Amino acid sequence: MSSYSSPEAMFPLNELPPDEILLVFLNLNVFDLSNAARTSKRFLYLVHTVQTRIVGTECSALSEKAAALEVNRDERKKQAYRGAKRAGNYRPAAVVRRALERMRAPPSLAFLFHTTRGDRGGTSWYQEPPSAAESLLPRDCAILSAACPDVQANSGGLVESESGVGVLLASFDRDRTTFLPFHIGSGVDDDSDDESGSDSSSDDGSGREDEQSKRRKGSDEIQQLIDRLDDAKSATADSCWKIIFVYVSGSTTLDPDTVLARVQDANPNCIIAGGVSSGGHVRLFSSGQDDDAEQSGDEQKRSPESIAKAKKVLGKRTVRQLRVLITKMIERARSGKGESNIDEFVLNNIDLTKEDISKESLVDIAISLGFGQQISASPHDGIDLKHVESGIFGVAIGGDGVPVSAVVSRGCRSVISGDVAPQASTWTVSDAAVLRPGQVGHPFYRGDPAGGNESFHVINRVKNRETGEEMDSIDFVLQNRAEFVGMKRNGGDGFDLTMLQSYNVATGQLMLIEMATRPDDAAHRGEIRDHRGSQIDLFNLDGQACIEDVGIKLERLKELVAGKRLLAGLMFSCNGRGPGKSFLINEEMCDANAWHNRFPSVPLLGFYAGGEIGPRAMAGNMDIFQRGNSSLQGFTAVFVLFVVPKIEMGGFSIDDGPENVDEFMRERKGSCA
């Protein structure tokens, strides 16, 4: 008999040194680690160390078909598993459960994609109520789901679009990450059932609002979202949002392009990514978001329950983060954007320069400054998985604990050189100007201050650097029958692509919208440079170019992530690029297959969209990681990637002595008070 079967021969795990226990814990999943953490204070401390300091960010992704194949692994040789041609009847909760089994830390963000084909559940859900999957996830886990005709999945070694559901779970450092879910533009007015005393000044006599009133109401709703994003920034030590996932569904009352432009302009360093879906769900953290909370004034905000929630949220912040938060709240109060009833004497007597100021004192100061209305930035209570049929919804993620990048591919071929990724053009702009809002000739100006907010570049003439030939820009475009215009400033990286619309040429001049929301252009917002001297190229959409361009971008990605860990990715592809062959691309799931050929072991999930949201597509850019300048575009593939440094165990020094463990427990107890 083996000595391992004897209880006397078993070695207590708690007697091992910390580095060896950590190696054991690194091979356990979140369920086993949760059980281990319950056994002793030391193990709780070490589990926390594994999940925050060592593992950090991690992802787990699984599709319905891949999960079914795992469950039926023993039956695969017989081809007897349920749903050999389709995924079968594997429910979302079961897929979430199996994805959780692959994680070592509780997820803080969950993406779900579910099909709307046939009788598979419509936009409401797929096969079962959402609570079944939601109940498996932590209460402070942000959830965003998209209903779509086809889910695309690279997981478990499969590249397929037959699954009815796909799941990607991500865990971030909660002390350095902020989430803010949102839903706007649904057209549902919470005050619509008020009795007849409502103001009818915006009614045109036929029961319909005039266009100016609608635009003003929409502008107010967009501004409220921007204000919420701005308010929530102060709940983290980081100054900007890293990524905002945005889905557009149904007949929204807001113009998606306007929403994206204004949110991007307010957050120029942020990635905005997503697509047009058939609906979906978003877990809204109701604290601080419902209308009653805003309307009830101090009584609601200063209630014991509200203060308790605020303390719970603030207790999870570090002292440094609390100092940053309070500093920003004071600045907002003095600028008139914060709480209006805070006495100036109180503001002037808050002293953050003291080194020995306690965390409890900082929490009390933040609450006295009205932190109760900012709880939505750090969700813990009041959850609601909202079913969305129409509107613009998503989740913003901020903080320095979010290792996210974006890559965008379209696939256009230069009419001039024939290249897919040209580095230069022989043609330059010789005469150009800038047309600002309100000026005569502006294509979107209608005499309404709410319209025509974009500046335009007017390209008058172009010149060939090699031959000296010069011609009118409209003739240049029309003679070459171009679909896209590419502009590259001197010293720039790649050509910014603009799909030609009627307004670009309607005035008899080539007019291109100013792309002022890219981070490196932020310094020029007030002083827009015209395009004289910039290189100009013309492009047409090409099926083979689409295949080549995504290959070029992913090969470049392999170079950039060498020595790092590419954990997982999300992909939002045009429904004209798959899943089946199209009139332009004679290849099934070309983007997903291109990914699998280069990253076969890295999961990638997403959906085929009716329009993709991401940084503006470019041609020939060597720096493929893009941020800012996001828009709703077509025939692109938008990749959102989670990339982290490789784990080096030798770089960690763990002191799990009684003093450190007791200090950890005191901090933990204080944050949960």
Side-chain angles (χ1 to χ4, degrees):
M1 179 180 292
S2 170
S3 61
Y4 290 100
S5 62
S6 170
E8 291 78 14
M10 294 179 66
F11 188 84
L13 184 62
N14 198 38
E15 295 183 10
L16 290 174
D19 55 340
E20 294 184 19
I21 295 177
L22 292 178
L23 289 174
V24 173
F25 283 177
L26 281 170
N27 290 283
L28 302 180
N29 65 29
V30 64
F31 300 109
D32 295 330
L33 287 173
S34 178
N35 291 331
R38 294 189 180 99
T39 61
S40 69
K41 293 189 294 184
R42 183 193 182 208
F43 275 16
L44 176 61
Y45 172 75
L46 292 175
V47 166
H48 182 267
T49 300
V50 166
Q51 294 177 336
T52 58
R53 291 185 56 191
I54 300 179
V55 173
T57 300
E58 68 171 349
C59 297
S60 174
L62 198 62
S63 69
E64 179 191 18
K65 188 169 184 177
L69 288 173
E70 287 184 1
V71 170
N72 296 282
R73 188 176 291 113
D74 295 338
E75 303 292 327
R76 289 182 65 179
K77 292 183 180 180
K78 303 177 184 178
Q79 292 295 306
Y81 61 91
R82 181 170 50 192
K85 294 184 178 180
R86 281 200 61 84
N89 193 30
Y90 209 64
R91 297 179 181 275
V95 181
V96 170
R97 174 83 186 188
R98 293 195 69 83
L100 279 170
E101 291 172 352
R102 302 173 175 213
M103 300 193 72
R104 289 167 291 191
S108 48
L109 179 62
F111 295 95
L112 294 96
F113 307 98
H114 58 99
T115 186
T116 59
R117 284 187 292 174
D119 59 353
R120 300 176 71 84
T123 62
S124 60
W125 198 245
Y126 165 66
Q127 293 191 339
E128 64 184 0
S131 57
E134 183 190 21
S135 64
L136 295 173
L137 299 168
R139 290 179 59 82
D140 59 354
C141 176
I143 300 176
L144 185 62
S145 86
C148 49
D150 294 289
V151 174
Q152 58 178 353
N154 293 41
S155 68
L158 298 176
V159 181
E160 48 94 9
S161 61
E162 299 173 347
S163 287
V165 65
V167 174
L168 189 148
L169 306 178
S171 176
F172 303 107
D173 186 340
R174 293 166 188 262
D175 291 335
R176 298 188 297 145
T177 310
T178 299
F179 299 93
L180 193 148
F182 59 88
H183 176 212
I184 61 175
S186 64
V188 177
D189 190 349
D190 292 335
D191 300 324
S192 59
D193 48 347
D194 285 350
E195 300 187 0
S196 57
S198 60
D199 182 12
S200 59
S201 60
S202 63
D203 196 286
D204 63 3
S206 62
R208 295 175 299 178
E209 294 175 308
D210 60 79
E211 281 303 312
Q212 289 192 16
S213 176
K214 287 181 179 179
R215 280 201 294 268
R216 281 194 295 268
K217 183 177 290 186
S219 180
D220 290 343
E221 196 169 3
I222 298 170
Q223 188 59 49
Q224 288 172 9
L225 173 60
I226 293 172
D227 289 343
R228 286 183 58 208
L229 290 167
D230 190 53
D231 287 343
K233 286 180 187 178
S234 60
T236 177
D238 198 82
S239 61
C240 71
W241 295 100
K242 291 299 175 61
I243 186 166
I244 303 175
F245 289 97
V246 176
Y247 296 162
V248 180
S249 175
S251 55
T252 175
T253 59
L254 299 175
D255 174 34
D257 290 319
T258 301
V259 174
L260 294 173
R262 290 186 57 184
V263 172
Q264 185 74 89
D265 191 63
N267 301 273
N269 293 290
C270 179
I271 299 167
I272 304 179
V276 178
S277 69
S278 303
H281 295 80
V282 58
R283 178 185 264 183
L284 297 176
F285 305 106
S286 60
S287 297
Q289 290 194 46
D290 45 37
D291 295 336
D292 292 339
E294 293 187 9
Q295 295 171 1
S296 58
D298 289 343
E299 292 79 6
Q300 172 76 14
K301 185 178 59 180
R302 303 298 179 183
S303 67
E305 181 182 357
S306 176
I307 293 175
K309 289 179 180 179
K311 284 187 175 181
K312 187 173 182 180
V313 172
L314 292 166
K316 291 186 175 293
R317 305 292 171 193
T318 64
V319 169
R320 181 176 69 90
Q321 289 173 334
L322 288 171
R323 288 178 181 271
V324 172
L325 166 63
I326 293 169
T327 300
K328 290 183 177 181
M329 292 180 74
I330 293 173
E331 291 174 355
R332 286 181 59 79
R334 286 177 172 157
S335 66
K337 295 181 179 180
E339 295 300 302
S340 60
N341 60 345
I342 299 177
D343 190 273
E344 185 68 23
F345 178 81
V346 174
L347 293 176
N348 292 334
N349 282 276
I350 296 176
D351 185 5
L352 298 178
T353 61
K354 297 179 180 178
E355 294 294 333
D356 59 345
I357 188 169
S358 67
K359 183 175 181 179
E360 291 76 12
S361 298
L362 292 172
V363 168
D364 291 338
I365 292 171
I367 292 174
S368 70
L369 292 174
F371 181 79
Q373 290 186 333
Q374 299 179 8
I375 296 179
S376 59
S378 297
H380 291 276
D381 295 285
I383 58 175
D384 175 29
L385 190 61
K386 183 173 184 178
H387 173 209
V388 178
E389 291 185 341
S390 63
I392 297 174
F393 64 106
V395 60
I397 310 173
D400 56 4
V402 187
V404 64
S405 301
V407 176
V408 183
S409 173
R410 173 171 272 147
C412 292
R413 193 176 300 278
S414 169
V415 178
I416 308 300
S417 66
D419 294 335
V420 174
Q423 298 299 301
S425 172
T426 57
W427 289 88
T428 61
V429 177
S430 58
D431 184 16
V434 174
L435 191 62
R436 292 175 171 79
Q439 293 182 333
V440 177
H442 193 287
F444 291 160
Y445 182 67
R446 300 289 184 270
D448 176 15
N453 294 320
E454 303 88 354
S455 291
F456 275 78
H457 288 281
V458 181
I459 312 298
N460 293 315
R461 296 186 66 79
V462 297
K463 184 176 181 178
N464 190 305
R465 292 182 297 171
E466 296 179 351
T467 66
E469 178 186 2
E470 191 170 5
M471 63 191 304
D472 184 83
S473 61
I474 291 293
D475 293 337
F476 178 62
V477 171
L478 296 180
Q479 288 179 17
N480 288 284
R481 298 185 178 183
E483 297 173 342
F484 295 85
V485 174
M487 301 299 302
K488 180 179 181 179
R489 291 192 183 274
N490 292 329
D493 178 30
F495 288 86
D496 290 306
L497 296 176
T498 298
M499 179 181 288
L500 288 174
Q501 311 276 350
S502 59
Y503 67 79
N504 295 117
V505 296
T507 62
Q509 299 169 301
L510 178 60
M511 305 180 70
L512 307 175
I513 291 180
E514 158 65 13
M515 300 178 184
T517 52
R518 183 177 298 126
D520 53 7
D521 287 343
H524 304 292
R525 291 186 193 188
E527 186 179 330
I528 301 173
R529 299 175 296 165
D530 63 44
H531 265 302
R532 278 175 292 186
S534 296
Q535 297 181 37
I536 183 170
D537 205 341
L538 302 176
F539 297 83
N540 282 331
L541 201 58
D542 181 291
Q544 184 58 36
C546 291
I547 297 173
E548 292 179 25
D549 188 69
V550 74
I552 291 170
K553 296 285 173 65
L554 294 182
E555 286 294 336
R556 178 65 176 150
L557 176 62
K558 284 185 68 175
E559 298 174 6
L560 294 176
V561 300
K564 301 178 182 179
R565 288 191 300 149
L566 178 54
L567 299 178
L570 295 165
M571 182 167 64
F572 308 101
S573 292
C574 176
N575 53 22
R577 300 174 70 107
K581 299 178 181 179
S582 71
F583 70 97
L584 200 62
I585 301 178
N586 190 31
E587 183 177 316
E588 294 182 353
M589 299 187 70
C590 70
D591 302 319
N593 279 305
W595 177 273
H596 181 73
N597 291 337
R598 294 161 178 83
F599 306 102
S601 61
V602 180
L604 179 77
L605 264 71
F607 69 94
Y608 290 97
E612 310 81 64
I613 296 170
R616 191 75 64 94
M618 301 182 70
N621 53 314
M622 293 301 293
D623 183 6
I624 61 169
F625 290 149
Q626 295 180 241
R627 56 192 172 93
N629 198 28
S630 294
S631 66
L632 179 62
Q633 47 200 331
F635 227 83
T636 60
V638 178
F639 298 85
V640 176
L641 311 170
F642 300 103
V643 185
V644 298
K646 287 187 175 180
I647 296 177
E648 299 292 344
M649 286 297 296
F652 289 95
S653 177
I654 307 300
D655 181 1
D656 62 340
E659 298 84 1
N660 280 344
V661 173
D662 289 342
E663 177 63 24
F664 165 75
M665 293 302 297
R666 282 193 295 271
E667 291 182 0
R668 185 178 180 87
K669 184 177 180 180
S671 68
C672 296

